[in-house]
Every structure is written in structure tokens, then in C-alpha cells.
Amino acid sequence: MANLDSIFHGLADPTRRAVIAQLARGPAAVSELAAPHRMALPSFLKHLKVLEAGGWIESGKAGRIRTCRLRPEAAKAAEDWLGRQRSLWEARLDRLDSFLETLNDIGETDDA
Amino acid sequence: MANLDSIFHGLADPTRRAVIAQLARGPAAVSELAAPHRMALPSFLKHLKVLEAGGWIESGKAGRIRTCRLRPEAAKAAEDWLGRQRSLWEARLDRLDSFLETLNDIGETDDA
């Protein structure tokens, strides 16, 4: 399993995010993945290597065609991490709400 | 609003993720954020700058104390992007399921 550093580094570039979005629709040959990008093939292949290091994609060769597919584990790890932070954040807002309600109740009692 | 490149770049480092996790529990002074990290302050401040550029944090100064707080918009943008890819991926798996069921139905008809 790739670590979170390389998983998130994989997402920090528009070409790499476009490759992930394309592969989410199904496996594709490297040439199909490269086609939408105005980029020399060696530069494009570097992006694929970053995605492979981040655990986002895997590839296999049949004859002269290399085909890539998405590995959903990387997305799951990224979403899990973000979800954990959101839980902490929302728990904090709930505590803040309770605190403000308590202040409000005290205020109303004072007014009565 | 920061772009997705800088939002995800913000997450591609363990110190920066630790800062986000700490701030998800509530605002904190720069000194409190720096304390858990074995790092010279200038290096730590660079990480805060990356998080600020990624729209993850904002800070304000009261006297000599600079306090940072989390901005949930960056997390939302990151989760939204990941969620969109997951929808594409799951829609594809559903289509694949239907296709396999169709194949299965044809197989059963042939056997009868």
C-alpha cells in the first residue's frame, strides 16, 4: 500500500487527476490516456510513474500495448483520511453548539 | 478559493497533515502547532505557508501571538473531487455487473 504522502502527491497535478478520472470510467491503453494531453510522451510517462508510486494505477502489457487500470485502494485511503478530519471538525462544532446553547440558556434565565 | 493542485499538495506531507488534524480539534497558536514537530521554526513556517496557499488554514495575530484556524472549504473541495471519481468508478462497476448478469442469463438459457 502506498503511503499518504505519495497518494496525495499523485493528486496534486491536473494531468494526473485527468488520468485518474479517465481510468475511473474503465481501463485504457497508455496511448489513449496520453492523447488528450499536449505533452511529450516521456513527460506523460513520468506522470504515470508518479501515479503508480502513489498506488493509484497498475498496468500490464499485452503484445505492444500497455494498459492501465485504477486501483481503488488509494482513493479509499485518501477519502478515509479526509473523513477522519471531518469527524474531528464536526465533533468540535457540535461541542461549540452545545456551549453556545448553554450560554444562551443562561442568558434567558438572567433575562427572566 | 485555492485550486486542487495546491489543496492536494497541502496534504502530501506528514507534518502538514498533522497540522490539519490538530486544527480540526480547534484553533491553535503557531507555537502550539510547531511543538510536536522536531523541526526548526523556519522550516515549520514553510509548511504553514503551503497550507495557507492551499486554502487549508488562515491565521490572525493578537498581540505577539499568531493563531491559525482550519478552513473547511479545502477539505470539501478535496472530498468532492474524490467523491466524483468514486461515482464514476461505481457506475462502471454497476454496468459491469449488469453485463455479467446478462452473460449469465444467456448461459442459463443455453443450458436449458
Side-chain angles (χ1 to χ4, degrees):
Chain A
M1 182 65 203
N3 64 35
L4 286 168
D5 286 13
S6 56
I7 287 174
F8 285 123
H9 179 55
L11 298 179
D13 176 276
T15 302
R16 295 197 293 267
R17 287 196 304 279
V19 168
I20 291 172
Q22 194 172 343
L23 290 177
R25 294 181 169 85
V30 169
S31 59
E32 291 173 296
L33 291 169
H37 305 284
R38 290 164 157 276
M39 194 178 291
L41 188 62
S43 307
F44 184 75
L45 292 177
K46 274 184 202 160
H47 284 304
L48 291 190
K49 272 198 201 313
V50 173
L51 288 174
E52 222 160 353
W56 282 101
I57 65 170
E58 58 190 2
S59 69
K61 219 167 175 178
R64 295 179 60 189
I65 310 284
R66 179 168 290 279
T67 300
C68 299
R69 72 186 66 244
L70 202 59
R71 297 180 59 198
E73 299 90 341
K76 172 133 189 17
E79 284 193 291
D80 284 355
W81 189 87
L82 286 163
R84 277 199 300 282
Q85 311 320 312
R86 188 160 33 80
S87 302
L88 290 172
W89 172 263
E90 285 169 357
R92 185 191 157 238
L93 293 187
D94 286 347
R95 286 196 303 275
L96 206 60
D97 267 356
S98 312
F99 177 65
L100 293 176
E101 269 172 35
T102 310
L103 283 188
N104 202 28
D105 289 350
I106 294 170
E108 278 169 8
T109 312
D110 285 352
D111 289 347
Chain B
M1 181 65 205
N3 65 35
L4 286 168
D5 285 12
S6 56
I7 287 173
F8 285 123
H9 179 55
L11 298 180
D13 176 274
T15 303
R16 295 198 293 268
R17 287 195 305 277
V19 168
I20 291 173
Q22 192 172 344
L23 290 177
R25 294 180 167 84
V30 169
S31 58
E32 293 174 295
L33 292 170
H37 305 284
R38 290 165 158 275
M39 194 179 289
L41 189 63
S43 306
F44 184 76
L45 293 177
K46 274 183 202 161
H47 284 304
L48 291 189
K49 273 198 202 311
V50 172
L51 287 173
E52 221 160 355
W56 282 102
I57 64 171
E58 58 190 2
S59 69
K61 217 166 178 181
R64 294 179 59 189
I65 311 282
R66 178 168 292 278
T67 301
C68 298
R69 73 186 66 243
L70 202 60
R71 297 179 59 197
E73 299 90 340
K76 173 138 188 14
E79 284 194 290
D80 285 355
W81 189 86
L82 286 163
R84 276 200 301 282
Q85 311 319 313
R86 188 160 33 79
S87 303
L88 290 172
W89 172 264
E90 284 168 357
R92 186 194 155 236
L93 293 187
D94 285 348
R95 284 196 306 274
L96 207 59
D97 267 355
S98 312
F99 176 65
L100 293 176
E101 270 172 35
T102 310
L103 282 187
N104 203 29
D105 289 350
I106 293 169
E108 279 168 7
T109 312
D110 285 353
D111 290 344

